[in-house]
Amino acid sequence: MTNKVVVLGSLNVDMTLHITQMPKPGETIPAISKTNSAGGKGANQAVAAARSHAQTSFIGQVGNDNAGKFMVNALKADQIDTDHISVDEQEGTGSAVILLDEAGQNSIMVYGGANQSMRPAIISDSEALIAGADILISQFETPQGVTYEAFKVAKAHGVTTILNPAPATQIMDDLLEVTDLIVPNETESATLTGIEVTDLVSMNQNADKFTALGIENLIITVGDRGAYFHTPAQSGFVPAFKVKAKDTTAAGDTFIGAFSAQIKKDFSNIEAALTYAQQASSITVQRLGALPSIPTTEEIQARYNK
């Protein structure tokens, strides 16, 4: 069965500056090269879901500019429904500048633009789309108030909600109440719970804190180590696949999008879905760029199901 996935999120044009090492404060360094590609956490997650054969739709906003047209066309190229992407006449399309060093590590600066000018009322036009979905995903590169309105609609129609709290910031209490699964990385989880993620004991403590906040289903991604998961039925750790990273941009987004295409609504196959998501992100980090680096199901199966 193919999941119907709706992504509410950001659309950014990424400019990546390739450098030997990160600059120190006040230091000027040369860039080896520059590349531009489609990105944004929302777009990355949607493309990852679509390339893993989920029937994918997008809710978002761009500016009335060439960058906006570029982003919409990038999603259409992966057969993603873009009918619910609106145009802001005042704000420009979101963008990001990525510093990428030779070790594959990155630092990212994001201009929200039209992503941040979205208003909760926009969700009223997408109620039927959300109601017909299996999974609704959102992140924090668009306003939390918009996500809350969308998640309320989702819960009214029995749709599973997945929240990726990135970039890390405090979460509206109301939003927690309508979130089925939260997927932070270790830094974001510590920001939200106040408990540093260092080992399995601290991961379990994070899970207990999220349960107290009303979210019983948790995944904490911990980079090249793997991913911790906790549901009322089970918990555990799925190790990452060891590869040499060229660019970690979009690795976490690939993970979430690929996972959303595989997961059952009752989370009963969470370990298998996480393994698949790890396989997908392990391929992403071996390539440059955001959208261009995200693999298809066929690529994942060819690499890991020999």
Side-chain angles (χ1 to χ4, degrees):
M1 188 188 80
T2 300
N3 276 346
K4 291 183 179 178
V5 174
V6 175
V7 178
L8 163 62
S10 55
L11 297 157
N12 294 331
V13 177
D14 293 345
M15 179 179 73
T16 302
L17 297 174
H18 301 263
I19 55 179
T20 54
Q21 60 189 30
M22 292 296 168
K24 300 178 180 68
E27 182 182 18
T28 299
I29 62 170
I32 300 166
S33 62
K34 180 182 79 168
T35 54
N36 293 293
S37 65
K41 296 189 72 62
N44 297 340
Q45 291 172 13
V47 168
R51 291 182 186 173
S52 285
H53 296 176
Q55 185 178 326
T56 310
S57 303
F58 200 92
I59 302 171
Q61 190 162 266
V62 295
N64 185 12
D65 48 32
N66 288 334
K69 297 180 181 70
F70 172 72
M71 288 306 307
V72 171
N73 288 334
L75 296 188
K76 285 181 176 178
D78 277 285
Q79 287 74 55
I80 295 168
D81 174 11
T82 61
D83 288 350
H84 293 260
I85 296 176
S86 58
V87 176
D88 187 313
E89 297 294 341
Q90 277 74 48
E91 295 287 343
T93 299
S95 61
V97 176
I98 301 167
L99 300 180
L100 175 66
D101 70 17
E102 290 182 334
Q105 291 303 307
N106 60 28
S107 292
I108 304 174
M109 294 148 284
V110 178
Y111 162 68
N115 296 312
Q116 286 296 326
S117 65
M118 292 177 70
R119 295 293 175 261
I122 201 171
I123 297 303
S124 61
D125 294 331
S126 302
E127 182 162 358
L129 176 71
I130 295 169
D134 298 304
I135 307 285
L136 173 62
I137 307 171
S138 191
Q139 330 78 34
F140 283 169
E141 288 186 344
T142 50
Q144 286 191 39
V146 180
T147 298
Y148 173 58
E149 287 300 316
F151 276 24
K152 276 200 304 183
V153 171
K155 296 316 301 168
H157 294 280
V159 177
T160 299
T161 55
I162 298 178
L163 180 64
N164 173 215
T169 186
Q170 288 305 307
I171 306 177
M172 294 168 47
D173 290 342
D174 290 346
L175 180 55
L176 291 170
E177 294 172 4
V178 287
T179 297
D180 291 315
L181 169 67
I182 192 165
V183 190
N185 64 22
E186 70 267 43
T187 303
E188 292 152 359
S189 191
T191 297
L192 296 169
T193 65
I195 303 167
E196 188 177 357
V197 176
T198 56
D199 54 17
L200 195 57
V201 172
S202 60
M203 292 176 192
N204 286 329
Q205 291 171 338
N206 271 261
D208 290 342
K209 186 64 178 286
F210 278 115
T211 299
L213 292 170
I215 303 177
E216 294 185 327
N217 302 293
L218 166 69
I219 295 170
I220 304 175
T221 59
V222 284
D224 60 5
R225 290 165 56 197
Y228 167 87
F229 68 93
H230 176 89
T231 72
Q234 58 180 319
S235 66
F237 193 87
V238 177
F241 293 84
K242 298 301 180 185
V243 298
K244 182 171 176 57
K246 288 183 180 178
D247 181 2
T248 56
T249 305
D253 297 330
T254 298
F255 177 95
I256 291 171
F259 174 84
S260 73
Q262 296 284 314
I263 192 65
K264 294 179 180 177
K265 286 172 67 67
D266 62 0
F267 302 123
S268 60
N269 68 331
I270 190 168
E271 202 159 353
L274 283 174
T275 299
Y276 177 86
Q278 296 278 24
Q279 291 170 342
S281 58
S282 76
I283 295 173
T284 293
V285 300
Q286 296 178 74
R287 301 168 172 174
L288 296 176
L291 262 58
S293 70
I294 299 170
T296 62
T297 291
E298 290 72 21
E299 289 177 295
I300 296 165
Q301 291 175 341
R303 179 75 61 89
Y304 288 106
N305 297 344
K306 295 177 181 177

